[in-house]
Structures are given as structure tokens and as C-alpha cells.
């Protein structure tokens, strides 16, 4: 029987580290499958316990140069998240200190190197800054402490026969430092050969500092992966009111046991999952189903932990507690989705697989040829160092992040908040866009869309009955009541003035049926048709109207005055103004647009018909939503999910790109990759267009970064010598490298002109 082990990892500095760990674990006998996720710093391992165990797998990770501790499934989730957060904060503090030190030393080194680049001295600069020994002293802490991880990880890569960005950084900065150190200690060797004893400490320090700064920003972005979990945990209540030994007592949530009788009052959250024993109420389950209307609960009905009891008091029997509750399962779904491996690899990492060995080969061939042709060991070494310096991956490192920085800032101007570079990169490849209904395509709350009185405008009763209806409904907490009051206000009824003149007597709520009260000498009853019929009220005068509204997924609320039906309200979760145009535009962009909702099929289909969506999957809970997303991914589709509720959090995390509506819940936004602040679906169109523009810009940047290497490395190797002997100088190689970086940054700044079409 296979077992699953989740290891929390420490010491990873780039995506290549995840590959190192993955390959080291994969060869262990008994390991069937391993996935290492760099973003959440976890390894998920499926293994045969008869052939290996947790201790051995941890030893393998340790032997690869990293640290691993098992993530205990039985420990409280909040404790796990707290430990992960503390670990990440310590990492960020260390990176921050190293970046600050690196910036200080690099600034002084760049200033000291300015006269050499300009070809003349500057009177304002202290002469001591020109001293190579001082420059060496400024560089040593950057190399040995700030950039220690680059050299350690590069050595690990060589040990396993692999090369990555750590290898490039270590080669470029190491070559510049060692050459400068040689010149500092033995300057006469170069002068006797007719060469200037120039040092290039600033190349090593600046490159290391910039890459460290990028890793600091990356670490902070990864820290947001646990935000969704923390907010989900915050939904659960801390205590529960249970009946034990015929006494009602408050106990801690973790002390609730299966079989306990739990009492829930109006306005309280339900602590655990169970089944109603006594009492009736309306429960807001939107966090699970996404449906804005409360669900009526009677004895025998199921209730779900962390959902909100809106009206009556009831007692239920606990059936699922702790890690078995629906909320705990949602938390686990989010963790699993976040820990799965994204089906994409960074382009730069792929290219460095052959780029680094090629540069090393060119450098060695250059050294050998120059020694063989000229017999001048110093000149050969000088030329080899030029090759390594010009091949330094500064421009390669800037190609992607500069474009990302500009485009994410531009996106913020249009209300598009992008969590990380991967999300922005994937957005341009989206093939299938899955939309939630409630709160995404629609407003997310019921509104009165139709209102009709029995005799129409001829008797002038529309405003009269509406005023009386609002006067009674103001005392109800039901969302439908709130919608009727809001509709009355929109028709010019002033609550504080009109309602004071219309006091309501004998108000009462009939759970699951409606409300009634006496106002202005009339008995007003508003509720379901079934309830009014049970009161002996004839509904036939407005029945045909109600049936017509219900066919187009309207919820009907009947109003009776003194035992006679007088008015009918049609309510629905109305479309957002931009939904139809946005869906049409997304379809024109070549995307398959689908609807995935927990609402009932009839209502879902009615909304889909209005916006022009062909494929609808309705009546699904969070776990089924995740399965639907996985099914699309298994067909080879790159899927984006758009939602706004807690119930959407697992599917937002599972999708290749999760897009949250900013007007929705914090948990949905925390689990997503992109957030639309305004809630306008046109933001999806703009986000995809921005992603396409950004990826085009990144490809241009990578071209610029590598074309300089393709042209510069042969020149640095001396192909044009002696006609352009000056080009052999490492300072020219350094200038070429800097120019390539400037070109990349300048090209990235063009994204500031982006405007959605």
C-alpha cells in the first residue's frame, strides 16, 4: 500500500533547486512519484513503506544540500501555517540584511570605478576610493556572505552534473573577482606585458546584489501562498454551545465530539457539520454553494460548519468535527492545489541548460588557442576572463523581471492586481475560461427586477402597497426583505420618514415562509405562495404572472393585504452591466468560455443564455468544482477560473490562473493569482491583453540579452584581434554587458504605453 509524505523544505534559492531535490528523491527505491513545489517550498512524495521511509527520504534531501522536515498531517493546520510563516519571515530578514549590505558596497565600488570608465579622474572623488585594496575589502563581504548561496548552489549543481542560473552568477562574478584579486596582488605582471592593471570588483558586487534583490522580492511574493489558508482558518468559530448532562455549556471548538447536541442562535456561525434535530431557520451557505439566497433548515436537514445562521434558533447533532468538516476539506483542497506543480518551466532556465556549458567550452578553447598561438599566458588569461565577463547573465536576469515590474504596475492602473510573474506569463496562453455565476457574472445579491400589483396603475396602488411592504420587511433580516426595502427606496420611499409614520404592530417571522404585520390598519403578509395558500388566500389572479417569471429563474414573493393577494415581486441575482460585452469579447479572442456554479441548473442556464455561454455546469460544491477544473486540464487545456466566493477558493487555486473578483471575499482573492479590483469582467480582457503584450516584450528582451552574447563572446575571445584589440579588454566586455542591460530595461519601459483595446 502506497503512502504519501509531505516534506517542508528549506534552503531552496531558485526553481533549479526544486529540480535537484526532485531528481535526488526520484531515484530512491520505493518512490513512485515526487513533486517539489518551489512556490510553497514543499515536496509531496508517494512511496512504498516496505522499501523506504520518511527518515531515509529526509536524509536524501539533506545529502543534496537542503533541509527537510515532515509536515505532520495530524497537527493543527493553524500551527503548520504559523511555522511556515515564521520560517519565511526569517528568510526574508536575512535576505534584507544582505541586500542592504550589498547595495552599500556596490554603490561605493561603482563610484570608485567611474573615473576608469570615463577615462579621466574626477576631482570630487576621494582618492582612497581608487585603491584596489579598499575595493577588495568592499567586495569580500558581498562575495563571501551576501552571495554565498550562489557559489554553494553552483557547487551542488556541478556535483550532480547540472548547470543553472547559480552557475552563471558564480562563474561571472567569480571570474571578475579572481581576475581583480590577481591584478591587485600582482599588478606588475600586467604592466610588463603592456596591459593596464584594471580591477573589476564592481562587476561581481553589483551582479550579486541585483540577483539577491530579485530573490527577496520573490520570497515576499511566495509568502502570500499561505494567506488563503490563514483566512479560511479564521472563518471557524472558537467555541460551541453544546448540551451535556441536560446543561447548555460553552466549550472550545476542538472539544466538540461526534454526537454532541449543538445549539445555534440567530446571527451565529455554525461550529461544525451536522444534522438539525429541532427548530427551524434560514442559513446563509454562500461560502459553500455560492448561492446568495439563504437555505431554509428544518429537522433532518444538513448544516455545514462556518456557515451563518440568519433567523431562527435550532439544535443539531454534530456528525463531522475537526479535520472532517467541510471547511477543513476546503482548506485541504486549497493546500493540495497550491502544492501541485505548475505545468510550465521558465524559459531562462531552459536556455541556461546549454548556455553555461557552451560558455565554459568557449572560455577553455579561447585560453588554449591564445596560449598556443602567442605563448602569452597573461594575455590568454586576460581574454578568457573577458569571455566570462561578457557572458555574465545580468541582461538575462533582467529580461523577465523588468517587463514584469512594468506590466504589473501598468495593470494596477487599470485595477488588475497580479500576484506573481508566473500568473502573468500563463494568462496569455489561456484556452478555457471558467466563470462562476454568483458575484462574478451577476451582482451577487437578490434585487427586485419586477413588481406588479393586482389592478395595475389604474387604481394607483403600486406606491401604496410598496410602502406598506417595505414598512413590514424592514424588520426582517432575510435578503429578499432587504431587496424589497432597497427597491422601495429606489422608488422614492424614504425609510426614516415613511416608516416612522407607518408603525408596524404584531410583526412576526414565519421561518421558511415569510413575514406578517399590521400597518396602517391593514394585515400585510409577504412570503411564499405555498404559505399564503395555507392561509386560505387565492393566488389565481397573479398565478400566470408568477409562472412566467419563474420560467426565467425569478424568485417570487407574494403580498397579501387583509387576506387578499394584491402584489407580486419578482427577484433575481441581476447581471453585472459589463458581463455580456465581456463574454462576447473573450469569445472573439479565441477563448472557450464556460460557467461553473453551485446554483441550481435552471437559474444558471437562464443567466448563461443572457450572456451567450454555451457550456454550463451547475449545482456543484467546491470539491466538484475542483474536479471539473482538473478534467479540463487533463484534456490538455490551460484553464483560468474566475470567482469571488469562499466556495471558489479551491478551484481558483487548482486552475492554471485563478482570477478573483475584488468585490468578493478576501479568501478568494488570497487563493487567486489575479484580482480585479472593480469586479468588472472587462478586467479579464485587459489582463489577457496585458499578458500577451508582456510576453512579446519578454521575448524581445531575451533576444537582446542573447544577441549580445552571440556577438560579444566571439569578439571577446579575440576573433577580430588585432584589428579591434581594444575589444579584448574586460572593461569593454563589462561595458557591453551593461549596454545589453540598458537595452533590456529600455525595451521593458515601452510597456508603460500599454492601453487595453
Amino acid at each position: 500500500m502506497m503512502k504519501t509524505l509531505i516534506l517542508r523544505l528549506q534552503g531552496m534559492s531558485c526553481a533549479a533547486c526544486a529540480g535537484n531535490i526532485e531528481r535526488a528523491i526520484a531515484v530512491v527505491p520505493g518512490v513512485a512519484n515526487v513533486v517539489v513545489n518551489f512556490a510553497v517550498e514543499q515536496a509531496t512524495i508517494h512511496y512504498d513503506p516496505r522499501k523506504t521511509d520518511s527518515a531515509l527520504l529526509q536524509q536524501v534531501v539533506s545529502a543534496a544540500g537542503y533541509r527537510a522536515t515532515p509536515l505532520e498531517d495530524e497537527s493543527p493546520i493553524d500551527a503548520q501555517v504559523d511555522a511556515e510563516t515564521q520560517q519565511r519571515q526569517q528568510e526574508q530578514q536575512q535576505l534584507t540584511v544582505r541586500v542592504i549590505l550589498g547595495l552599500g558596497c556596490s554603490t561605493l565600488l561603482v563610484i570608485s570605478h567611474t573615473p576608469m570608465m570615463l577615462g579621466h579622474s574626477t576631482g570630487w572623488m576621494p582618492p582612497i576610493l581608487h585603491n584596489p585594496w579598499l575595493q577588495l575589502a568592499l567586495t569580500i563581504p558581498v562575495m563571501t556572505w551576501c552571495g554565498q548561496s550562489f557559489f554553494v548552489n553552483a557547487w551542488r549543481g556541478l556535483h550532480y552534473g547540472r548547470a543553472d542560473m547559480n552557475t552563471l552568477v558564480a562563474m561571472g562574478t567569480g571570474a571578475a573577482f579572481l581576475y581583480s584579486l590577481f591584478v591587485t596582488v600582482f599588478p606588475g605582471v600586467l604592466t610588463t606585458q603592456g596591459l593596464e592593471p584594471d580591477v573589476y570588483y564592481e562587476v561581481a558586487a553589483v551582479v550579486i546584489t541585483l540577483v539577491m534583490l530579485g530573490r527577496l522580492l520573490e520570497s515576499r511574493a511566495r509568502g502570500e501562498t499561505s494567506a488563503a489558508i490563514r483566512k479560511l482558518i479564521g472563518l471557524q468559530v472558537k467555541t460551541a454551545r453544546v448540551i451535556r448532562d441536560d446543561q447548555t455549556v460553552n466549550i472550545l471548538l476542538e472539544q466538540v465530539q461526534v454526537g454532541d447536541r449543538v445549539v445555534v442562535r440567530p446571527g451565529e456561525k455554525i461550529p461544525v457539520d451536522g444534522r438539525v434535530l429541532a427548530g427551524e431557520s434560514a442559513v446563509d451557505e454562500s461560502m459553500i454553494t455560492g448561492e446568495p439566497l439563504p437555505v431554509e433548515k428544518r429537522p433532518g436537514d444538513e448544516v455545514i460548519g462556518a456557515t451563518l445562521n440568519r433567523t431562527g434558533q435550532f439544535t443539531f447533532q454534530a456528525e463531522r468535527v475537526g479535520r472532517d468538516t467541510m471547511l477543513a476539506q476546503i482548506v485541504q483542497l486549497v493546500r493540495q492545489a497550491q502544492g501541485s506543480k505548475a505545468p510550465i518551466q521558465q524559459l531562462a532556465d531552459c536556455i541556461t541548460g546549454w548556455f553555461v556549458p557552451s560558455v565554459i567550452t568557449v572560455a577553455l578553447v579561447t585560453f588554449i588557442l591564445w596560449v598556443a598561438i602567442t605563448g602569452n599566458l597573461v594575455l590568454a588569461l586576460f581574454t578568457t576572463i573577458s569571455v566570462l565577463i561578457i557572458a555574465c547573465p545580468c541582461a538575462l536576469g533582467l529580461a523577465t523581471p523588468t517587463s514584469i515590474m512594468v506590466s504589473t504596475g501598468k495593470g494596477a492602473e487599470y485595477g488588475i492586481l497580479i500576484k506573481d510573474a508566473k500568473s502573468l506569463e500563463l494568462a496569455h496562453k489561456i484556452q478555457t475560461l471558467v466563470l462562476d455565476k454568483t458575484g462574478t457574472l451577476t451582482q451577487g445579491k437578490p434585487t427586485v427586477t419586477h413588481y406588479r400589483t393586482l389592478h395595475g396603475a389604474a387604481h394607483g396602488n403600486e406606491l401604496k402597497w410598496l410602502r406598506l411592504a417595505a414598512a413590514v420587511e424592514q424588520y426582517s433580516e432575510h435578503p429578499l426583505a432587504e431587496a424589497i426595502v432597497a427597491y422601495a427606496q429606489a422608488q422614492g420611499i424614504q425609510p426614516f420618514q415613511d416608516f416612522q409614520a407607518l408603525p408596524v404592530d404584531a410583526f412576526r417571522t414565519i421561518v421558511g415562509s415569510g413575514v406578517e404585520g399590521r400597518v396602517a390598519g391593514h394585515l400585510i403578509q409577504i412570503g411564499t405562495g405555498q404559505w399564503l395558500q395555507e392561509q386560505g388566500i387565492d393566488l389565481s389572479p397573479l398565478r400566470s404572472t408568477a409562472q412566467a417569471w419563474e420560467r426565467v429563474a425569478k424568485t417570487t414573493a407574494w403580498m397579501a393585504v387583509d387576506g387578499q393577494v394584491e402584489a407580486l415581486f419578482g427577484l433575481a441575482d441581476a447581471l453585472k452591466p459589463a458581463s455580456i460585452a465581456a463574454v462576447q469579447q473573450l469569445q472573439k479572442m479565441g477563448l472557450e468560455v464556460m460557467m461553473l456554479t453551485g446554483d441550481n441548473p435552471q437559474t444558471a442556464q437562464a443567466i448563461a443564455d443572457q450572456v451567450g455561454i454555451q457550456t454550463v455546469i451547475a449545482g456543484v460544491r467546491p470539491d466538484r468544482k475542483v474536479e471539473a477544473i482538473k478534467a479540463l486540464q487533463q484534456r490538455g487545456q490551460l484553464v483560468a477560473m474566475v470567482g469571488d466566493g469562499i466556495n471558489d477558493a479551491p478551484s481558483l487555486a487548482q486552475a492554471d490562473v485563478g482570477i478573483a473578483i475584488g468585490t468578493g471575499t478576501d479568501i478568494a482573492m488570497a487563493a487567486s493569482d489575479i484580482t480585479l479590483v472593480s469586479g468588472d469582467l472587462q478586467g479579464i480582457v485587459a489582463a489577457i491583453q496585458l499578458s500577451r503584450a508582456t510576453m512579446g516584450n519578454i521575448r524581445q528582451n531575451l533576444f537582446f540579452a542573447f544577441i549580445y552574447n552571440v556577438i560579444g563572446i566571439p569578439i571577446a575571445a579575440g576573433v577580430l584581434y588585432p584589428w579591434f584589440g581594444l575589444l579584448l579588454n574586460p572593461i569593454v566586455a563589462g561595458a557591453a554587458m551593461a549596454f545589453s542591460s540598458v537595452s533590456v530595461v529600455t525595451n521593458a519601459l515601452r510597456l508603460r504605453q500599454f492601453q487595453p483595446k
Side-chain angles (χ1 to χ4, degrees):
M1 181 178 179
M2 303 299 291
K3 293 185 66 177
T4 299
L5 173 67
I6 300 178
L7 295 177
R8 182 187 295 119
L9 303 172
Q10 292 179 272
M12 293 195 299
S13 58
C14 70
C17 296
N20 293 345
I21 298 173
E22 199 168 87
R23 283 184 284 267
I25 295 175
V27 298
V28 175
V31 173
N33 176 262
V34 55
V35 173
V36 177
N37 187 293
F38 176 58
V40 295
E41 297 177 311
Q42 289 181 5
T44 303
I45 308 165
H46 300 282
Y47 68 98
D48 186 345
R50 295 169 298 181
K51 298 181 180 179
T52 187
D53 56 25
S54 173
L56 177 59
L57 293 170
Q58 292 178 66
Q59 291 175 7
V60 170
V61 176
S62 178
Y66 307 91
R67 297 180 298 281
T69 54
L71 190 65
E72 299 292 344
D73 288 340
E74 298 305 320
S75 62
I77 295 177
D78 52 353
Q80 298 174 12
V81 174
D82 289 343
E84 293 168 3
T85 302
Q86 184 178 5
Q87 173 186 321
R88 185 165 287 111
Q89 287 175 345
Q90 292 175 351
E91 172 191 331
Q92 292 175 5
Q93 290 173 357
Q94 294 175 0
L95 283 171
T96 300
V97 173
R98 295 185 183 194
V99 168
I100 292 173
L101 176 61
L103 286 172
C105 294
S106 298
T107 301
L108 292 174
L109 287 167
V110 171
I111 292 174
S112 68
H113 195 67
T114 302
M116 191 165 22
M117 291 188 295
L118 297 176
H120 58 77
S121 62
T122 55
W124 57 269
M125 190 176 298
I128 191 174
L129 289 178
H130 305 327
N131 190 314
W133 290 101
L134 175 61
Q135 296 179 29
L136 173 61
L138 290 171
T139 307
I140 286 177
V142 180
M143 296 288 291
T144 59
W145 189 61
C146 298
Q148 179 185 18
S149 62
F150 299 123
F151 298 96
V152 172
N153 291 330
W155 176 255
R156 289 176 186 152
L158 291 176
H159 178 71
Y160 284 98
R162 293 182 293 272
D164 55 22
M165 291 296 291
N166 286 309
T167 310
L168 288 174
V169 173
M171 284 176 50
T173 58
F177 177 78
L178 292 175
Y179 172 78
S180 300
L181 179 62
F182 178 82
V183 172
T184 301
V185 178
F186 306 107
V189 176
L190 269 68
T191 55
T192 57
Q193 299 292 326
L195 300 172
E196 290 294 330
D198 296 326
V199 295
Y200 304 97
Y201 291 116
E202 82 288 343
V203 173
V206 170
V207 170
I208 285 177
T209 301
L210 288 176
V211 179
M212 290 294 295
L213 178 60
R215 289 190 175 175
L216 173 60
L217 298 175
E218 181 182 8
S219 176
R220 289 181 175 176
R222 292 204 314 269
E224 295 300 319
T225 58
S226 61
I229 303 294
R230 290 195 296 270
K231 291 179 179 180
L232 279 171
I233 294 171
L235 283 176
Q236 61 188 7
V237 295
K238 303 298 182 184
T239 62
R241 187 180 296 106
V242 302
I243 301 174
R244 289 183 177 174
D245 299 326
D246 295 326
Q247 297 289 327
T248 302
V249 294
N250 288 325
I251 62 174
L252 295 175
L253 180 65
E254 52 266 27
Q255 296 175 339
V256 178
Q257 301 176 2
V258 174
D260 276 341
R261 289 178 294 163
V262 185
V263 179
V264 185
R265 295 172 180 171
E268 294 181 344
K269 286 186 177 180
I270 299 170
V272 296
D273 298 358
R275 198 165 297 277
V276 177
L277 295 174
E280 297 180 349
S281 184
V283 177
D284 181 355
E285 294 185 343
S286 58
M287 63 158 285
I288 299 297
T289 65
E291 172 56 52
L293 299 179
V295 180
E296 307 298 340
K297 298 295 182 181
R298 296 180 175 87
D301 290 340
E302 180 186 21
V303 291
I304 301 171
T307 57
L308 180 64
N309 181 29
R310 295 295 298 264
T311 53
Q313 177 174 310
F314 63 91
T315 302
F316 74 95
Q317 185 175 44
E319 294 183 344
R320 292 183 297 275
V321 301
R323 303 178 71 87
D324 295 326
T325 63
M326 177 69 75
L327 178 63
Q329 292 174 16
I330 291 178
V331 171
Q332 187 61 26
L333 285 170
V334 174
R335 289 183 71 93
Q336 290 176 358
Q338 289 182 337
S340 61
K341 192 173 184 179
I344 191 171
Q345 295 181 352
Q346 297 297 325
L347 179 61
D349 287 340
C350 295
I351 295 175
T352 54
W354 58 263
F355 180 71
V356 176
S358 300
V359 171
I360 294 174
T361 302
V362 171
L364 290 175
V365 170
T366 298
F367 181 80
I368 294 171
L369 288 177
W370 275 98
V371 171
I373 294 173
T374 66
N376 189 328
L377 184 63
V378 174
L379 186 59
L381 180 63
F382 193 81
T383 309
T384 303
I385 295 298
S386 294
V387 171
L388 292 174
I389 289 178
I390 206 169
C392 186
C394 190
L396 180 61
L398 289 171
T400 298
T402 48
S403 296
I404 296 297
M405 288 174 64
V406 176
S407 60
T408 51
K410 195 66 181 177
E413 294 180 18
Y414 292 100
I416 305 166
L417 302 183
I418 301 165
K419 182 175 291 185
D420 54 37
K422 184 189 78 172
S423 309
L424 185 61
E425 179 179 351
L426 284 176
H428 85 289
K429 296 181 179 179
I430 293 172
Q431 298 165 294
T432 302
L433 186 72
V434 180
L435 296 170
D436 177 46
K437 180 188 76 69
T438 305
T440 301
L441 285 165
T442 66
Q443 301 284 358
K445 59 182 180 180
T447 57
V448 175
T449 58
H450 294 76
Y451 168 58
R452 179 178 172 182
T453 56
L454 179 60
H455 300 291
H459 288 70
N461 286 330
E462 290 92 340
L463 200 59
K464 175 183 177 181
W465 297 145
L466 183 59
R467 180 178 287 105
L468 297 181
V472 174
E473 293 284 29
Q474 67 170 318
Y475 293 100
S476 173
E477 298 176 347
H478 199 286
L480 294 183
E482 296 173 358
I484 291 174
V485 173
Y487 178 75
Q489 290 180 251
Q491 304 307 310
I493 294 174
Q494 302 298 322
F496 295 106
Q497 298 175 10
D498 291 352
F499 295 169
Q500 286 179 357
L502 294 171
V504 178
D505 298 322
F507 173 84
R508 70 187 185 108
T509 297
I510 297 85
V511 177
S513 299
V515 297
E516 68 177 21
R518 289 193 172 275
V519 55
H522 297 287
L523 172 62
I524 305 298
Q525 295 171 297
I526 306 172
T528 65
Q530 180 182 353
W531 174 54
L532 293 185
Q533 279 185 313
E534 292 172 355
Q535 306 303 307
I537 298 173
D538 181 17
L539 304 183
S540 58
L542 290 175
R543 189 180 300 280
S544 60
T545 300
Q547 292 173 342
W549 290 356
E550 289 169 353
R551 281 195 293 270
V552 291
K554 303 290 183 184
T555 298
T556 53
W558 298 77
M559 178 180 178
V561 181
D562 298 326
Q564 300 293 323
V565 65
E566 290 289 352
L568 184 67
F569 294 90
L571 301 97
D573 187 8
L575 277 176
K576 292 180 178 179
S579 292
I580 296 176
V583 169
Q584 292 176 347
Q585 196 165 358
L586 289 164
Q587 291 171 337
K588 289 180 181 178
M589 294 170 67
L591 277 68
E592 179 185 3
V593 182
M594 301 174 54
M595 181 192 292
L596 182 63
T597 178
D599 207 345
N600 67 76
Q602 182 183 14
T603 301
Q605 190 61 55
I607 295 296
D609 292 341
Q610 291 182 55
V611 298
I613 294 178
Q614 302 298 321
T615 305
V616 179
I617 304 175
V620 292
R621 287 193 169 187
D623 53 343
R624 295 292 304 278
K625 285 190 175 185
V626 172
E627 291 175 7
I629 298 295
K630 286 182 178 179
L632 291 170
Q633 292 172 327
Q634 289 169 358
R635 284 166 38 193
Q637 298 289 305
L638 197 142
V639 183
M641 171 70 190
V642 187
D644 76 317
I646 298 168
N647 61 303
D648 299 317
S651 48
L652 285 170
Q654 175 63 42
D656 298 293
V657 180
I659 303 175
I661 302 299
T663 52
T665 65
D666 290 342
I667 293 160
M669 288 184 278
S672 67
D673 304 302
I674 298 173
T675 299
L676 308 179
V677 176
S678 67
D680 189 339
L681 292 189
Q682 289 289 351
I684 303 173
V685 178
I688 295 174
Q689 291 177 348
L690 179 61
S691 174
R692 292 177 177 179
T694 303
M695 290 310 299
N697 190 270
I698 288 175
R699 294 189 186 97
Q700 295 167 1
N701 286 348
L702 290 172
F703 171 79
F704 287 134
F706 281 98
I707 197 65
Y708 285 111
N709 283 298
V710 170
I711 297 175
I713 290 176
I715 295 177
V719 172
L720 301 181
Y721 185 81
W723 299 279
F724 296 96
L726 178 64
L727 295 178
L728 290 172
N729 194 314
I731 195 170
V732 178
M737 181 195 68
F739 182 69
S740 67
S741 301
V742 171
S743 300
V744 166
V745 174
T746 302
N747 186 58
L749 290 175
R750 293 193 306 108
L751 286 170
R752 295 165 65 179
Q753 308 303 318
F754 168 82
Q755 290 183 345
K757 297 179 181 178

